[in-house]
Amino acid sequence: RQRRERAASAQLPAAEEETAAQGASAEAGSRADDEPEDSDGEDDVDFEKRLDPAVLAELKWRARFADEEKGAKPYKVLKVKRDASASEIRKAYRKLSLLFHPDKWARARKALKLDAEKAFADLTKAYETIGAPDKRAAFDDGRNFEEQQGTGDENFYFGDPLIATLTEDLWEKRLSGTSIWLIEFYAAWCPHCRNTQHLWREVARRVEHLPVEVGAVNCVRNRKICSEYVGVTSYPSVRLINREFGTMQHHKGGLHDVDGIVKWVEKVAAEWKWLFHNAKVHWDLGS
């Protein structure tokens, strides 16, 4: 019994020492957590060393350009041509916004972080200006989009981000080159046209990934397009059109067949793209 008591008393100091050591370690860890890290400088240097010099130079240019132009040149900001398709504009915006999003520059020096914020804000403003077809049309014509919204009462899709409201003034400007347009022709007085607006918006969403532009023509306001150019005889009417090659196909099903419209567009657009490409090859060989 005495031996057991002596062994127990010998273990107490060791246990106390271990507990004290653990407490000291925890306290030291707590102090370390409370102390601010002083690694920003190293992170900044390493971050900039890994950057592509071309990207860094473009960021600085974009920050200066944003200050100088104040959003006046959205096509240049997005690096697209004035006749770029809506899908090309969307792709350009997505690519550039990923590259210059402020989160991507969180470890950079303060000056570069501020440049990234300016560049990203300028990209966002540019896309807001020409990303939606009707806003783009207003910008191209030097009109104020906000002031015109009240005039769009009869234009069902005015301001829609995926559907261009096509008019006689815009017909030749937008339907140019090898662009393929999927267009609904409707009459503002037509009850069926009014009741199927949501279906045309769904079609536009479903074909966003395809090489086509989506539009709509109010035949009450644009009789010349509907009667002379296209020959619309019933509403709503859906057509695929390319003006340069003079191709046009009429979808014979109704708007309720959204799946059928999408499959039809996929098939015809692929055929036309092949035809347009080969026609240009022959023209180049002939010249």
Side-chain angles (χ1 to χ4, degrees):
R1 180 178 176 180
Q2 290 177 349
R3 284 199 298 272
R4 284 199 300 271
E5 289 176 353
R6 283 197 297 270
S9 63
Q11 289 175 353
L12 284 174
E16 290 174 356
E17 288 177 6
E18 182 178 356
T19 302
Q22 289 176 349
S25 176
E27 185 179 354
S30 176
R31 285 199 304 270
D33 290 340
D34 294 338
E35 292 176 359
E37 293 183 4
D38 190 20
S39 60
D40 287 346
E42 293 179 5
D43 286 348
D44 291 345
V45 172
D46 292 341
F47 177 82
E48 291 190 41
K49 282 181 178 178
R50 291 193 298 271
L51 277 177
D52 182 343
V55 173
L56 184 59
E58 183 174 347
L59 173 67
K60 293 179 178 179
W61 170 81
R62 285 184 173 280
R64 289 196 305 271
F65 193 77
D67 287 337
E68 294 168 1
E69 298 297 336
K70 308 294 184 184
K73 297 181 178 179
Y75 288 100
K76 190 167 184 177
V77 171
L78 294 173
K79 298 169 75 173
V80 294
K81 297 179 180 179
R82 291 190 74 89
D83 61 352
S85 67
S87 59
E88 288 172 336
I89 291 174
R90 285 193 294 273
K91 288 177 183 176
Y93 171 69
R94 289 167 184 164
K95 178 181 177 181
L96 291 169
S97 61
L98 284 174
L99 191 59
F100 296 107
H101 194 286
D103 288 351
K104 296 283 187 179
W105 300 80
R107 295 182 59 204
R109 290 181 291 110
K110 185 176 181 180
L112 291 181
K113 289 179 184 177
L114 292 175
D115 286 346
E117 290 174 3
K118 288 181 183 178
F120 185 73
D122 202 33
L123 283 167
T124 302
K125 185 175 182 179
Y127 187 69
E128 288 175 351
T129 302
I130 63 173
D134 292 331
K135 288 186 176 182
R136 178 184 181 183
F139 173 81
D140 288 348
D141 291 345
R143 296 181 276 111
N144 187 314
F145 174 78
E146 301 301 329
E147 293 176 357
Q148 295 204 29
Q149 293 193 68
T151 69
D153 295 341
E154 289 185 310
N155 291 326
F156 294 166
Y157 308 101
F158 187 77
D160 190 281
L162 298 177
I163 303 171
T165 298
L166 296 171
T167 64
E168 291 171 8
D169 291 336
L170 292 173
W171 187 256
E172 292 187 5
K173 292 180 183 178
R174 289 286 174 261
L175 275 70
S176 60
T178 59
S179 61
I180 299 172
W181 279 82
L182 175 65
I183 304 172
E184 178 197 3
F185 298 88
Y186 66 91
W189 48 260
C190 165
H192 185 59
C193 298
R194 290 186 177 277
N195 293 335
T196 54
Q197 292 179 53
H198 67 289
L199 296 175
W200 192 240
R201 296 183 196 277
E202 175 65 11
V203 169
R205 187 187 66 80
R206 293 272 299 275
V207 302
E208 187 179 359
H209 67 288
L210 297 176
V212 298
E213 306 291 327
V214 181
V217 175
N218 180 353
C219 292
V220 173
R221 292 189 171 191
N222 302 279
R223 297 181 185 276
K224 192 172 184 179
I225 293 176
C226 298
S227 59
E228 294 183 24
Y229 298 170
V230 182
V232 176
T233 57
S234 62
Y235 307 110
S237 180
V238 175
R239 312 284 177 101
L240 271 172
I241 297 174
N242 172 265
R243 284 186 63 250
E244 181 171 325
F245 289 90
T247 53
M248 179 169 65
Q249 279 201 28
H250 179 202
H251 179 68
K252 296 178 181 177
L255 278 176
H256 288 285
D257 184 17
V258 173
D259 289 339
I261 293 175
V262 173
K263 290 177 181 177
W264 171 68
V265 172
E266 288 176 340
K267 180 177 180 294
V268 176
E271 292 174 353
W272 285 11
K273 282 292 182 183
W274 184 88
L275 288 171
F276 298 164
H277 173 74
N278 282 278
K280 285 188 171 294
V281 169
H282 288 305
W283 287 347
D284 292 341
L285 290 174
S287 61

